[in-house]
Amino acid sequence: MVRSLLIRGMIAGFLASLLAFGFAKIVGEPQVDRAIAFEEQMEQAKSGGHEHDAMPELVSRDVQAGIGLFTGVGVFGTAVGGLFALVFAFAYGRVGTLHARATSALMALFGFVAFALVPFLKYPPNPPAVGDPGTIGSRTALFFTMIGLSLAALAIALFLARRLAARIGVWNASLIAGVVFLAIVLLAQWLLPEVNEIPDQFSAVLLWRFRMASFGIQAILWASLGVLFGSLVERLLEDRHGALRIS
Amino acid sequence: MHASTTIAPTIQPVSIPVRELLPWAIFGSILMLIAIYFVGVEEGAAAVFNSMYVHEFVHDGRHLLGFPCH
């Protein structure tokens, strides 16, 4: 059963990543290209307008924006789908009487908020030319710390909601859990250090567009994962009920 | 007899026992996290291989997926 769920999760994740790739290609790539153009301009200005000798590119821009982007988004989507399926395997039948499709949709919403939205608000994605290579280590650590704290807040909120639901009802329990989640996340975001390495001359509009493209990619990925996975496993889990009733 | 019970009998979702789930959860999540590591982090903040090929190859995806790239 878990094996079938895992495989379906990876398939759903891959299919979701195809949609996300389409969006990334059409909406995201133009912003990346503009940011790289800005980066080259800055480098030329710094070297005093010299024709700086073309460094041999390890991977061409075409590959980066094509098969490279496809691979990156595809592998990410497939892996997120796999993890999603494993969490689903635990959550299914343990969140009240929610059925497969509703469980999947709810999980995708929570996953998007905790895994994508909360880190996005504290450490938003940056296009090329933004960010000092010297701080990549600390920025990466902070980014994953934020994800970890966000997931911990989600776990605490869910645990609380379950405990309270029996006593004060699902609605009130959910409200309290939501407030607790928000409080933990806000506290974490307030305590974690700020990162601002945007060059002074970098276009605000370009930065906004890049970040909105990145936001859209995550939203599309999670939304379609939640819907696709639910549809893919519904039959499987219903058959299992049938088998259980017969035996 | 209610019509609704004959048309759509309510089935309680049956959870999967943790014992059955655990081995899959451990090995599956390790595998998935390694995949995410290679897309998001390899040859940026940390490196298994001593080149920049993986970084450069997934460069655009890494930026657009929101990972700190360089």
Side-chain angles (χ1 to χ4, degrees), chain A residues 2-3 10 29 58 61 64 68 72 89-90 92 94 97-99 125-126 128 139-140 143 210 214 218 240-241, chain B residues 11-16 20-21 24 29 32 39 41 45 52-53 56-57 59-61 63-66 68 70:
Chain A
V2 183
R3 180 175 159 275
M10 293 173 74
E29 275 302 334
L58 202 56
R61 277 300 301 143
Q64 282 185 339
F90 178 76
Y92 179 71
R94 290 186 174 91
T97 54
L98 276 190
H99 286 247
N126 283 322
R139 278 184 289 125
T140 303
F143 180 68
F210 175 86
S214 184
Q218 293 286 350
R240 178 162 162 271
H241 290 303
Chain B
I11 311 164
Q12 286 290 315
V14 179
S15 58
I16 297 165
E20 186 190 334
L21 179 62
W24 286 100
S29 49
M32 298 302 133
V39 174
V41 185
M52 278 305 268
Y53 190 80
E56 288 297 318
F57 185 66
H59 172 271
D60 287 23
H63 274 287
L64 285 165
L65 288 168
H70 42 71

Side-chain angles (χ1 to χ4, degrees), chain A residues 17 20-26 28-29 32 62-75 217, chain B residues 39 56-65:
Chain A
S17 80
F21 168 75
F23 185 81
K25 184 76 189 160
I26 295 163
E29 275 302 334
V32 176
D62 281 348
V63 171
Q64 282 185 339
I67 186 75
L69 177 67
F70 181 82
T71 309
V73 177
V75 170
I217 291 167
Chain B
V39 174
E56 288 297 318
F57 185 66
V58 298
H59 172 271
D60 287 23
R62 191 172 288 187
H63 274 287
L64 285 165
L65 288 168

Side-chain angles (χ1 to χ4, degrees), chain A residues 227-241:
Chain A
V227 173
L228 286 169
F229 182 77
S231 320
L232 281 179
V233 299
E234 194 187 26
R235 177 66 64 80
L236 182 79
L237 291 163
E238 271 176 11
D239 286 353
R240 178 162 162 271
H241 290 303

Side-chain angles (χ1 to χ4, degrees), chain B residues 1-60:
Chain B
M1 194 183 328
H2 298 290
S4 62
T5 52
T6 49
I7 294 165
T10 42
I11 311 164
Q12 286 290 315
V14 179
S15 58
I16 297 165
V18 171
R19 249 183 316 145
E20 186 190 334
L21 179 62
L22 205 60
W24 286 100
I26 292 170
F27 293 111
S29 49
I30 288 174
L31 228 76
M32 298 302 133
L33 289 173
I34 290 173
I36 292 175
Y37 165 83
F38 273 100
V39 174
V41 185
E42 168 69 7
E43 289 155 16
V48 175
F49 302 120
N50 185 23
S51 79
M52 278 305 268
Y53 190 80
V54 176
H55 175 110
E56 288 297 318
F57 185 66
V58 298
H59 172 271
D60 287 23

